[in-house]
Amino acid sequence: MKSFHKAAALVSIVAIAGCGANSAGVPITSVNPTSPSYGKLQFAVGTANIYGTATGLNVVSTLRQPAGTSAIGVSTPSITGPFTFAGGIAMAAPANGSLADPYTTLFSNPNNAAAVMGPSLAEVASGNTIGGTPQTIHPGTPDCDYTGTLPPGTNSNAVFTACPSGFTPDASTFGQSGGVFAMGLAPYNAFAEQGQAYSYVPYAQPMYDDGTAHPLFLPWGGPPAFDPDGNGMGTRDGLVPAGGDTFGEPYFLGVGEGVTVFEGLTPGTGSYKLNVAVSTIGNGGAVTTNTISQSAPLNSTATLPAIAAPQVVPDANGDGGASFMIASIPAGVTEELIQIVDWGPGGAPGATNPNAGSTSNCQGAKGPQFAPVYYTIVVKAPGSYTLGANHGPNTNTTGGNAHLTPSPSICTGAQNTAALGSSSLGDSITVQAIGVDYPAYEAANSLTAATVPQAPQIAGSTGQSDITISPPIIETDPGYAPTPLSGRRSARGASMHRTPSSRPLSIPSFLGVPQH
Amino acid sequence: MFKVSCFARFFCWLAMAGMLFSTLGVPLTANAAGGVQGNLRGSVVDASGAPIAGVLVVATSTSGKFQTTTDASGYYSLLQIPTDTYALAFSKQGFETVTLTGVTILGDQTQNAGTVRLSQIKTLAHVTARSVSSAFQPHQTTDETTFTGRRVDQALGETGSTNYNQLVESAPGVIQTAQGSNAAISIRGSASVEIGYQFDGIDFRGAFFDENPSAGFLNGVGGGRGALQVVSGAGDATQGGIGAGVVNLVPGRGSYPGTGFVNFDVGSPWYDHALGFQYGIATPNGRFSDFFSVRADRSAPQIAPYGREAADAGAYFGTSFTYDDDVMNNFVYRFGRNGDQQFQVLTDFIDHRSWTSYGGLAAAAWYPWNPLNYGFAETDGNGAPMWGCIYQNQAPLAPGASPPPCPSFANQLAWYDSILTYVQGVPHPKDPFAPAPAVTQPEQFNLGPDDVLKLGYTRQLSRNATLNTFFYNWGGLNESNITGNYSDLTDGGGGFFVNGYNPEGSRSTGVQTQLVLQAGEKHILTFVGKFENNFPYWNQQNDGNTWQGLSTARSYDEQITGYNGQNPIAGYSPNGPRIEDWFLPLIPGQPVSASNPCVGPALDNNFNPNGVTNMGCYLYSWLLSNGKWTGQLPAMPTAGWNYHNTDFQQFGIGLRDQWTPSAKWNFDYGIRLDGQNLKWGANPFSKDLNNPYDVGVGFAQLPNTFLYPRLLEPRAAANYILDPNDSVRVSYGRSVSDFFGQYAGTPSALENINPIFFQIPAKDSASNPACGSGWHPAGPSPNGQYIPNNNTYFSGALIVNAPGNFFQCPNYASSLYWNFDQGYSAPDVGGQQPSTYNNWDLTYQHQFKNAWGMKFTTYVRRGFNTYQTVELNNGPPNPVTGQQTPGSFQERETGIQKALGLEFMLTTPDRPYGWSGFLTANYINELTNTPPVSGSDNLPIAQQFLYESNVLFHQSFLPPISARAGITYETKSGFRINPILSFDGGEPFGVGRDAIGFVNGVLYHLPTSNIGVATPYAGPGGPNLTQNATCYVDPAFAGSYFHPRDFACRGFAEPALAGQSFTAPRLYSDLDLEYTKGRYTWGVYINNLFNNYRGQPSINSAWQPVANGVGGAQTGEFAGAFPVNLDGTPNLNWIAGGRDLSHYDQSWLPFPESYVPGINYRFYLRISL
């Protein structure tokens, strides 16, 4: 009997042993990414006056969660509306697998001497859609442009690929890397294999422009207007992460200004729509795709007046600062972003890769030696404006958080000579003005605020968001005379794009001995 | 004076020689260990308490019969008798014989049998009938737990079980490690390299990481024979060369009458069957005994739920099939007067083989012998083309004209194919578009066999002295695979190996001697010594390695000459071998000229495959100008690694005194010296025989503390018997973990060398030399003069901020060898001294009235200079990104370990019927400065700066709380029920929210991030991997390092530090049921009775965040499904056999949970013989 009791106790113990069966170890908290209470999509469109010579479509959007940061890490946007592709637009093919995102047509094709960047064949065929490649397309699927025969009149320079049997064209403007984020359309989609975004660099502007007339520019906002840490150095203080993305481009050279201008589109009045497809993977691995949408009107196709870049004059006292004069603000323009880019002595941008071409200067490792330095000044009224003397990158690279040392904003010849140890000119700069009729600066800069709004204002008083972009000028030492900056200055940009398997910049990763 | 009248003069000579060497100060003997033998002492008195001399004391067990007589003080001792439970018989004419039962002899312990009064037929003594497996061992001085007899069955359930680890985990202080660990067990928080494994007292540790050569299979224990001992901590002074503890498997011995069994097992639901047979026999007088044991097991695979492929569960390298054959024989011959001499021959042949699950390798570049794998050799590390071309029927080039494109890809392929040497079994990529070879079988990744031979000799030299010595020789290929090592298979993105055989293993040959002397009645002195030659063996050669050496050199050229946007180093002029040397001119057979230029991608033509280069055709031009051009270049030698007969000698000597000043006190103290002589194998490309791996500066210093470590280890323990049922013990010991084979680094090799390469001069010069590792001091050497040279690929400036030193190459072959060495495996060796540990423990033991025993131990363990794998910094952090740029890794000894733990064990008496069993429990809190990376005891390759941060991390591979119980209930009618329970309170989990990185040159603790320097130091795969980040920063604006703006997290609230969150507690239940009738036993062993097949979660590194806790469509997917591009060219991203994780269970989750085997059954029949 005693044994029986023990046996019963044993059975109890064994039964208890089953209590842990199949228990999940980790609680998962999640949100519904497409719920209106979580992600708020805003969308506005307007006309674009590009260099005073071309018309395009300006697209502004935000998709933020309540805390103000981007709501969706991976999405597939598409824009529809009463626009047309301009006749003769250069339709583009993707870069044939040489990019981390092989489907996007927004990056140059190394097999294409013309480095065409434009809409895909399928998008042009659709007539009024700019889109992306669905995330549901398995990575590794061959990129291709058309089925059947190549449409007549296709840009002969592009290398288009016929889809194999069973495949439909998957090349698109945004590819799988482009999505909608806290400050608009950008190639920031998360790249599953690397635990990062494809890119942390905004699209080079104007989109669909091949850099023939003028080099493309990156809409990085720098100090003094964009200064997240409040130390006057913008993002070049060493406290903001820096590195290279899967396209080989350096980030964060500034704060993205949220500018996405499509050249080669002829906007028409009417309602435009931004669809954002969000594919999530659920229980059992099933993929569900939901779409959130927002419409925006374009009531007028009138463009803002052409705008010119001001001549930026370095301070006569050689302190590294500069000034410029804005004589007038064009009608309709409510604010201008004056972009000053420091390329170092003798530097200048490449045509299709706006980061290429910078040189070492007095600003040290974080200066143009790494990548061009961006400054932004917001102008809302005519007058004289200054770029302070010490908005350059932090040069105290051993001082940690507490000992930051800003450098001259635009190094003079003397400063460069002293820093580089050999006779040197002062820095070359490029200047460009971006005029808008909506609070573009406030919307973009709100990302750096302590409290980030979920729905910043992105449309002007007319209900649309118009933009005018000046031709860039380059000013070089000596004299700093303004000279129009022509495109196609360098063919090097195309080679900068690298596959995600690119090695670290300094030492080959396989230098290490094999693990054993 | 020793009598050497025995016929085993050889062994006596060995013993004497050992003692002589010890006297001369030459290191000779001594690692004992868990110990296969122990001592017995006691005294005999008459009714009045007066000592009785001449009483015959006979100790009898299945291990044999041993006898002695008492001296004038009534004192007796039996030295060096096998560990076992004995019956003692005391007899003398005129007195009534007295018998004591249940007297245990533990390995290397001295058992005090107390005082026996012959006149009263009643024992006083302090010996209570208990088994060797009782937790209550009141005379024990060091922490040792022994499993033998029924205790083995309680732990394993089935007598014929081969589950080695399950038995070891039943001991207190032993904790099961996280899945994926190198060692299945940890002793007091040890990493895998700190555990000592022994087989019948001989050191039985794998050569490269001290792995267990038995591969987790048990043989020779069970069925009432043999034992398994676990010594936690330093042990006594006879034990050395081991960091945290020892597991000693003591095989059974034969006895009279002979007994044994045969068992047949079949498992379900997956394929599993086994055969076991053992039989022990002896002559009636015990002169001959023999124990023979065989285990054979076939099973596949342990993946749950039933029916799934290993790959389906994400276990791409999980074992799909394994077999275990193990044949062991233990022969003992006793001879001499009263059998006072013994000769032992122990042999074991172990053959374990395992295969992966085929067709499911997620990122296998070369699987299965992919003929397209040359694709990885087409470009260098920066993506620039590397291939030349064989032109045919070309006309001379017109002035100013450019060479035509290579006629076809086949011409390039022909060039590539012609200059390679293929190792056996590797297919040529002659037909790039042919389909991949069919997969005909899973890949074999573990290849036996091992063989063990032990020759032992024991002699009772006198009534007060016993000598035990043995010689051993064991080794084999205990770990290898046939298609490259593990990393070869997993490296899909930048695969740089091609297929090759990768045999590795070792052979150990040694002698060990132990002399035990009874010094008076209160002291037992032990002199121990050991000397071992350990020959780690690893030989991996293939052409791909050579190619990679050239590729690495080329990549470096590109970077320091300004290619790819880098700042050029002025005046750099590479003079080592380069792939361009192997290019051919437009018209082979004619001198290189303007009209017959050398063609191929090179730095000077911006890597245009059809460009003219002035940097190429070196080999061709030399061969042509010297009349040795045969129409084809000589094949490229193969490169790889070869240990060149490296010998890691180990030795140890120890002196121990077991002092018993009174019936209550037992002291055990001593000191030992452990040492090693690391003798590197010869390098055919270095004439410096004293420094074959050409090191000696920077991180590759070769101090004597590294090459010839000598470390003293004091040991002290005390035991106090409070009363017959209570005792306490305390001990301190310093222990040393010997260097193992990996400390020899990766010594380079170059083989399959066409002799012409020894005639071709190298391209370097006396002023710009290119040979050497770069780690050699400047100055003269047998290789010539070493001078600094910035123009050689591997400049020491990369590592120690100074140019490396090199000597002029005697020929092209030599330069090729050193080019590979510089690019791939430097530095080979160098470091400090072996790891040392201070071990303290305190135990309270108690025996309950019902004879249950318990012991409760608290311990502190502190490791110094512990083993670590460290990436060598190349210099200060990048001033822009803050990233440290790593070079190669090195085995270093800069680690710290701090462990505090509690152990508990409760045992019942062994009973033939009714209840019996045991319970063990552990608590451990362990800190280390090795970051908790992978949820396993694998030591990650960590950046130097992580150690500079002085942060101590919680270990990541052990549950802080764990327990295990084996309970048996047996009836006289033959039924037996045996539940086996194991519990853990959860394993450390997660990467934490703390990161360590440089910001503006200063090391900070930062919130973890997926970009920049704030990537987590924890997580699978290694430290600082972006994909392990808990949260992803907003790509629209990331914020700053100190205040990152996260937009999506995995949905799990990470604590501040990695390892401070735990998985859910788990309780597993096994159940063994048996019925025995006559000779036949039918049983079923139910494993994982309640089907708890979920294991711990792991980080899904292929998670694509859409929002907090939500993954995107490509979560778990990989680009690798299409072998051929649309234009018919090979898709370099294709991975043959690659599968997407997302298609399989849970891999769409941010934290998929791995599987452990679900419920399964083993039905068995055991027949007693």
Side-chain angles (χ1 to χ4, degrees):
Chain A
M1 192 62 186
K2 190 175 179 180
S3 297
F4 171 78
H5 286 153
K6 287 183 176 178
L10 175 66
V11 169
S12 299
I13 292 172
V14 172
I16 291 171
C19 292
N22 303 326
S23 60
V26 177
I28 298 293
T29 59
S30 61
V31 298
N32 179 357
T34 57
S35 168
S37 65
Y38 172 72
K40 183 168 183 57
L41 176 66
Q42 294 193 112
F43 178 50
V45 294
T47 60
N49 184 337
I50 302 170
Y51 309 140
T53 58
T55 300
L57 179 69
N58 185 36
V59 175
V60 187
S61 57
T62 64
L63 178 53
R64 301 185 183 185
Q65 55 184 282
T69 52
S70 296
I72 311 291
V74 187
S75 62
T76 304
S78 65
I79 301 167
T80 58
F83 65 82
T84 56
F85 290 102
I89 187 171
M91 292 173 283
N96 282 357
S98 64
L99 295 176
D101 174 6
Y103 309 110
T104 178
T105 58
L106 280 178
F107 294 91
S108 58
N109 184 339
N111 296 323
N112 177 0
V116 170
M117 291 176 283
S120 67
L121 287 179
E123 288 167 332
V124 173
S126 75
N128 63 348
T129 300
I130 302 169
T133 304
Q135 295 293 317
T136 49
I137 288 184
H138 187 291
T141 302
D143 55 274
C144 62
D145 302 281
Y146 65 95
T147 54
T149 57
L150 189 64
T154 305
N155 184 304
S156 58
N157 286 323
V159 179
F160 295 103
T161 304
C163 294
S165 176
F167 288 77
T168 55
D170 51 22
S172 64
T173 295
F174 302 117
Q176 288 188 327
S177 56
V180 184
F181 294 87
M183 202 54 238
L185 295 158
Y188 301 160
N189 276 343
F191 184 37
E193 288 188 57
Q194 293 207 335
Q196 294 186 323
Y198 280 90
S199 176
Y200 295 93
V201 181
Y203 286 125
Q205 300 297 317
M207 298 162 77
Y208 294 162
D209 188 305
D210 63 4
T212 301
H214 305 288
L216 304 182
F217 70 95
L218 286 170
W220 284 123
F226 293 88
D227 189 19
D229 297 316
N231 51 33
M233 290 174 275
T235 61
R236 305 295 278 271
D237 55 5
L239 310 184
V240 175
D245 61 22
T246 68
F247 296 151
E249 299 292 350
Y251 62 79
F252 283 92
L253 304 182
V255 178
E257 294 172 329
V259 174
T260 45
V261 173
F262 292 88
E263 187 177 341
L265 297 189
T266 303
T269 58
S271 179
Y272 288 70
K273 191 172 186 181
L274 172 63
N275 294 307
V276 183
V278 182
S279 295
T280 57
I281 190 164
N283 198 359
V287 175
T288 302
T289 301
N290 292 306
T291 301
I292 51 180
S293 302
Q294 195 61 257
S295 296
L298 185 73
N299 299 318
S300 170
T301 59
T303 61
L304 293 173
I307 196 171
Q311 179 186 7
V312 175
V313 180
D315 292 346
N317 63 5
D319 63 356
S323 62
F324 60 89
M325 176 67 71
I326 299 294
S328 62
I329 303 289
V333 172
T334 57
E335 64 185 34
E336 292 182 15
L337 301 177
I338 307 300
Q339 299 288 103
I340 305 169
V341 187
D342 188 333
W343 299 89
T352 55
N353 188 320
N355 283 328
S358 61
T359 62
S360 298
N361 69 351
C362 79
Q363 293 169 336
K366 290 183 170 67
Q369 179 180 334
F370 170 56
V373 178
Y374 290 78
Y375 304 103
T376 304
I377 295 171
V378 179
V379 170
K380 295 190 177 181
S384 176
Y385 291 85
T386 61
L387 172 65
N390 292 301
H391 288 299
N394 170 38
T395 55
N396 192 349
T397 57
T398 59
N401 186 19
H403 300 89
L404 307 181
T405 305
S407 55
S409 301
I410 300 171
C411 299
T412 65
Q415 290 166 329
N416 283 336
T417 298
L420 301 176
S422 58
S423 178
S424 177
L425 297 172
D427 292 349
S428 299
I429 57 173
T430 56
V431 187
Q432 204 157 14
I434 302 169
V436 293
D437 64 358
Y438 61 98
Y441 166 68
E442 288 75 7
N445 196 43
S446 69
L447 288 175
T448 68
T451 301
V452 184
Q454 186 178 20
Q457 184 180 344
I458 59 171
S461 59
T462 62
Q464 64 187 54
S465 306
D466 301 323
I467 194 169
T468 177
I469 300 171
S470 78
I473 60 172
I474 185 168
E475 301 179 21
T476 57
D477 190 26
Y480 285 95
T483 304
L485 187 62
S486 59
R488 293 292 174 199
R489 295 166 63 91
S490 166
R492 190 178 175 197
S495 67
M496 289 294 290
H497 296 296
R498 292 231 172 254
T499 65
S501 61
S502 288
R503 302 298 180 188
L505 291 176
S506 55
I507 301 301
S509 64
F510 44 74
L511 183 60
V513 294
Q515 292 189 38
H516 175 71
Chain B
M1 193 64 179
F2 302 138
K3 292 184 178 179
V4 196
S5 57
C6 60
F7 73 86
R9 290 175 182 275
F10 171 70
F11 296 99
C12 295
W13 177 87
L14 274 180
M16 294 184 66
M19 294 184 66
L20 177 62
F21 289 160
S22 299
T23 304
L24 294 174
V26 176
L28 187 250
T29 29
N31 287 20
V36 297
Q37 291 169 321
N39 308 318
L40 174 67
R41 66 187 301 277
S43 61
V44 183
V45 297
D46 63 14
S48 66
I52 310 174
V55 176
L56 177 65
V57 182
V58 179
T60 305
S61 74
T62 56
S63 296
K65 184 183 290 185
F66 305 89
Q67 64 183 48
T68 187
T69 56
T70 58
D71 61 12
S73 300
Y75 179 82
Y76 70 91
S77 65
L78 282 169
L79 305 178
Q80 302 266 65
I81 61 177
T83 56
D84 210 333
T85 301
Y86 287 85
L88 300 183
F90 303 86
S91 59
K92 179 170 178 152
Q93 193 168 14
F95 291 86
E96 192 165 352
T97 297
V98 170
T99 301
L100 281 179
T101 59
V103 178
T104 62
I105 300 297
L106 299 175
D108 283 345
Q109 303 286 321
T110 295
Q111 177 63 277
N112 188 345
T115 303
V116 174
R117 291 182 183 174
L118 289 190
S119 60
Q120 294 183 2
I121 315 177
K122 182 178 179 182
T123 60
L124 298 177
H126 304 291
V127 175
T128 306
R130 79 182 73 87
S131 81
V132 69
S133 293
S134 172
F136 181 64
Q137 300 291 348
H139 296 276
Q140 196 174 46
T141 51
T142 58
D143 190 2
E144 177 181 324
T145 303
T146 300
F147 283 82
T148 188
R150 303 170 73 83
R151 194 74 73 214
V152 174
D153 291 344
Q154 290 161 4
L156 295 176
E158 182 192 355
T159 297
S161 171
T162 61
N163 196 330
Y164 183 103
N165 294 321
Q166 183 172 331
L167 184 56
V168 179
E169 288 160 8
S170 301
V174 179
I175 306 172
Q176 183 177 2
T177 58
Q179 279 187 312
S181 295
N182 280 335
I185 60 164
S186 171
I187 301 178
R188 291 186 173 176
S190 64
S192 61
V193 297
E194 297 159 351
I195 301 175
Y197 296 96
Q198 295 188 333
F199 181 48
D200 203 42
I202 66 176
D203 281 333
F204 193 56
R205 284 173 283 166
F208 283 93
F209 288 100
D210 287 350
E211 56 272 20
N212 181 3
S214 77
F217 290 94
L218 190 67
N219 187 18
V221 175
R225 299 179 188 273
L228 187 134
Q229 304 163 341
V230 177
V231 177
S232 301
D236 60 62
T238 64
Q239 172 182 305
I242 295 157
V246 181
V247 180
N248 184 22
L249 191 149
V250 184
R253 294 189 173 201
S255 61
Y256 178 83
T259 61
F261 66 82
V262 58
N263 67 275
F264 306 92
D265 289 45
V266 291
S268 175
W270 38 68
Y271 179 83
D272 184 6
H273 64 230
L275 166 70
F277 171 82
Q278 74 174 47
Y279 199 82
I281 191 170
T283 55
N285 61 4
R287 186 165 291 267
F288 292 93
S289 74
D290 191 73
F291 177 71
F292 179 72
S293 183
V294 176
R295 299 282 190 272
D297 202 342
R298 305 286 185 274
S299 65
Q302 299 295 300
I303 296 294
Y306 168 69
R308 307 173 82 234
E309 281 191 49
D312 286 1
Y316 293 94
F317 296 95
T319 302
S320 69
F321 181 73
T322 184
Y323 80 62
D324 156 46
D325 287 336
D326 192 332
V327 181
M328 191 201 71
N329 192 78
N330 192 9
F331 170 79
V332 176
Y333 172 61
R334 296 181 64 185
F335 57 99
R337 183 164 51 90
N338 297 322
D340 62 350
Q341 297 182 64
Q342 174 181 294
F343 179 59
Q344 178 193 18
V345 180
L346 173 65
T347 58
D348 197 357
F349 180 79
I350 304 168
D351 191 4
H352 302 301
R353 303 187 188 211
S354 302
W355 287 261
T356 60
S357 179
Y358 68 94
L361 306 181
W366 314 115
Y367 189 87
W369 285 358
N370 178 2
L372 303 181
N373 64 17
Y374 64 84
F376 290 93
E378 287 184 285
T379 58
D380 61 27
N382 289 317
M386 294 241 330
W387 279 22
C389 176
I390 295 178
Y391 288 91
Q392 294 170 318
N393 305 317
Q394 288 292 325
L397 207 58
S402 298
C406 189
S408 72
F409 181 74
N411 293 63
Q412 287 186 280
L413 197 62
W415 171 86
Y416 173 75
D417 213 22
S418 69
I419 63 174
L420 294 184
T421 301
Y422 289 86
V423 296
Q424 184 180 9
V426 177
H428 284 227
K430 287 179 177 174
D431 184 0
F433 307 119
V439 182
T440 57
Q441 65 173 35
E443 180 190 24
Q444 183 176 338
F445 68 91
N446 189 306
L447 172 65
D450 291 345
D451 58 76
V452 180
L453 171 66
K454 176 186 177 185
L455 301 175
Y457 173 69
T458 303
R459 178 183 172 92
Q460 187 171 346
L461 301 171
S462 71
R463 58 179 294 121
N464 294 326
T466 300
L467 175 74
N468 172 37
T469 188
F470 58 85
F471 162 84
Y472 59 92
N473 181 358
W474 73 269
L477 297 174
N478 52 40
E479 182 184 344
S480 62
N481 50 335
I482 58 174
T483 55
N485 65 21
Y486 187 87
S487 58
D488 298 355
L489 292 171
T490 54
D491 192 344
F496 43 84
F497 285 86
V498 296
N499 308 308
Y501 293 89
N502 183 33
E504 65 178 35
S506 70
R507 179 151 297 279
S508 294
T509 301
V511 61
Q512 186 164 312
T513 301
Q514 183 160 318
L515 177 65
V516 181
L517 300 174
Q518 179 74 51
E521 296 178 2
K522 295 183 179 179
H523 293 272
I524 296 177
L525 301 177
T526 305
F527 302 91
V528 294
K530 170 199 167 185
F531 184 86
E532 176 182 287
N533 283 295
N534 180 261
F535 304 100
Y537 175 79
W538 180 23
N539 189 355
Q540 185 189 31
Q541 303 280 323
N542 60 51
D543 52 281
N545 288 334
T546 321
W547 188 275
Q548 283 302 318
L550 296 166
S551 172
T552 307
R554 162 84 96 71
S555 299
Y556 188 65
D557 293 344
E558 296 168 33
Q559 290 172 4
I560 65 179
T561 53
Y563 178 80
N564 200 23
Q566 299 298 298
N567 297 315
I569 295 176
Y572 174 74
S573 176
N575 51 10
R578 294 295 186 268
I579 189 60
E580 292 85 352
D581 299 346
W582 304 75
F583 290 168
L584 295 171
L586 198 60
I587 308 171
Q590 297 182 18
V592 174
S593 65
S595 61
N596 183 33
C598 184
V599 180
L603 255 174
D604 62 350
N605 61 26
N606 201 25
F607 304 107
N608 177 5
N610 311 315
V612 174
T613 176
N614 295 315
M615 301 172 64
C617 297
Y618 175 77
L619 296 176
Y620 165 80
S621 294
W622 187 91
L623 292 169
L624 190 69
S625 61
N626 288 274
K628 298 182 184 298
W629 173 249
T630 62
Q632 182 172 324
L633 289 173
M636 188 178 286
T638 60
W641 296 272
N642 189 328
Y643 267 57
H644 300 301
N645 300 316
T646 288
D647 181 4
F648 274 23
Q649 295 176 346
Q650 301 174 6
F651 60 86
I653 54 174
L655 171 62
R656 176 193 189 194
D657 181 15
Q658 296 177 86
W659 176 33
T660 311
S662 71
K664 286 185 176 292
W665 282 102
N666 290 277
F667 293 97
D668 183 348
Y669 60 94
I671 192 166
R672 65 176 291 113
L673 171 71
D674 276 319
Q676 285 186 277
N677 300 318
L678 307 187
K679 295 184 176 298
W680 318 109
N683 177 352
F685 294 95
S686 173
K687 297 176 181 175
D688 187 350
L689 299 179
N690 293 320
N691 188 1
Y693 295 131
D694 207 61
V695 294
V697 296
F699 294 104
Q701 294 281 357
L702 289 176
N704 282 341
T705 54
F706 179 73
L707 289 176
Y708 308 104
R710 308 282 188 268
L711 293 132
L712 278 175
E713 299 148 77
R715 309 282 170 85
N719 180 296
Y720 182 72
I721 297 174
L722 299 167
D723 59 47
N725 292 315
D726 295 278
S727 73
V728 293
R729 54 162 292 278
V730 62
S731 73
Y732 162 76
R734 187 181 190 221
S735 56
V736 175
S737 182
D738 288 331
F739 285 142
F740 40 88
Q742 186 60 33
Y743 280 92
T746 51
S748 304
L750 196 75
E751 296 183 358
N752 298 308
I753 307 169
N754 188 315
I756 195 71
F757 288 116
F758 291 102
Q759 299 179 35
I760 301 174
K763 296 158 62 181
D764 64 345
S765 64
S767 58
N768 274 306
C771 275
S773 72
W775 294 95
H776 194 282
S781 118
N783 287 318
Q785 191 74 17
Y786 280 80
I787 63 171
N789 187 0
N790 268 328
N791 289 321
T792 290
Y793 159 64
F794 180 82
S795 169
L798 288 173
I799 305 296
V800 293
N801 209 24
N805 301 305
F806 303 91
F807 64 94
Q808 186 176 6
C809 302
N811 50 59
Y812 193 84
S814 184
S815 68
L816 205 54
Y817 168 88
W818 287 109
N819 177 76
F820 171 76
D821 181 87
Q822 292 156 13
Y824 230 35
S825 60
D828 287 320
V829 292
Q832 295 84 42
Q833 66 171 35
S835 309
T836 59
Y837 306 84
N838 283 341
N839 301 269
W840 297 266
D841 56 29
L842 173 66
T843 300
Y844 167 69
Q845 298 187 57
H846 177 69
Q847 182 170 244
F848 297 94
K849 289 182 179 178
N850 56 7
W852 286 38
M854 65 87 78
K855 62 178 176 181
F856 181 80
T857 302
T858 179
Y859 63 85
V860 173
R861 184 165 166 271
R862 175 72 163 86
F864 302 88
N865 306 313
T866 55
Y867 169 75
Q868 291 176 324
T869 305
V870 183
E871 269 187 351
L872 302 177
N873 292 341
N874 290 324
N878 184 300
V880 176
T881 66
Q883 299 284 6
Q884 286 267 359
T885 45
S888 56
F889 70 74
Q890 186 186 39
E891 312 308 337
R892 303 276 283 172
E893 305 80 45
T894 54
I896 294 171
Q897 284 184 17
K898 293 179 177 178
L900 168 67
L902 304 174
E903 302 169 0
F904 175 76
M905 186 176 196
L906 178 69
T907 58
T908 71
D910 281 350
R911 300 188 181 104
Y913 305 110
W915 292 98
S916 59
F918 71 91
L919 167 69
T920 58
N922 294 284
Y923 165 78
I924 186 168
N925 180 19
E926 184 173 32
L927 300 172
T928 170
N929 66 343
T930 296
V933 162
S934 55
S936 80
D937 66 349
N938 298 314
L939 298 178
I941 302 175
Q943 291 92 337
Q944 194 86 241
F945 69 79
L946 287 174
Y947 300 117
E948 295 169 1
S949 70
N950 295 319
V951 174
L952 293 182
F953 311 97
H954 278 271
Q955 54 78 20
S956 63
F957 57 96
L958 296 176
I961 299 172
S962 58
R964 181 172 284 268
I967 305 164
T968 300
Y969 181 74
E970 295 186 63
T971 69
K972 293 182 180 178
S973 56
F975 286 100
R976 178 177 180 270
I977 181 171
N978 186 177
I980 299 163
L981 310 174
S982 62
F983 168 82
D984 69 68
E987 293 175 359
F989 173 73
V991 303
R993 295 300 305 270
D994 180 64
I996 296 172
F998 283 93
V999 177
N1000 285 337
V1002 175
L1003 206 54
Y1004 284 102
H1005 287 266
L1006 305 165
T1008 56
S1009 173
N1010 63 323
I1011 62 172
V1013 301
T1015 47
Y1017 54 69
N1024 299 107
L1025 295 178
T1026 56
Q1027 59 266 36
N1028 288 335
T1030 299
C1031 293
Y1032 288 58
V1033 293
D1034 188 351
F1037 181 64
S1040 72
Y1041 280 125
F1042 298 96
H1043 303 288
R1045 302 210 165 182
D1046 297 329
F1047 87 97
C1049 299
R1050 292 179 191 266
F1052 174 64
E1054 286 276 357
L1057 293 175
Q1060 291 192 328
S1061 179
F1062 297 96
T1063 61
R1066 292 169 298 184
L1067 179 59
Y1068 286 97
S1069 309
D1070 291 1
L1071 183 64
D1072 187 60
L1073 301 169
E1074 278 188 3
Y1075 174 68
T1076 301
K1077 188 171 182 60
R1079 297 167 54 196
Y1080 298 94
T1081 298
W1082 291 269
V1084 57
Y1085 187 94
I1086 306 172
N1087 183 59
N1088 195 354
L1089 182 64
F1090 293 99
N1091 203 23
N1092 300 355
Y1093 55 78
R1094 292 291 186 195
Q1096 66 268 44
S1098 60
I1099 295 168
N1100 185 352
S1101 60
W1103 182 60
Q1104 184 188 34
V1106 168
N1108 206 47
V1110 180
Q1114 295 183 4
T1115 292
E1117 295 205 348
F1118 296 94
F1122 298 93
V1124 179
N1125 290 326
L1126 293 175
D1127 61 357
T1129 59
N1131 175 5
L1132 301 186
N1133 292 317
W1134 177 55
I1135 301 163
R1139 294 182 180 187
D1140 285 327
L1141 287 170
S1142 61
H1143 295 180
Y1144 308 111
D1145 183 79
Q1146 292 193 317
S1147 292
W1148 42 272
L1149 287 174
F1151 296 100
E1153 281 192 83
S1154 60
Y1155 280 109
V1156 296
I1159 188 169
N1160 58 92
Y1161 309 87
R1162 285 173 71 95
F1163 301 94
Y1164 58 88
L1165 168 64
R1166 185 171 67 250
I1167 304 171
S1168 297
L1169 303 173

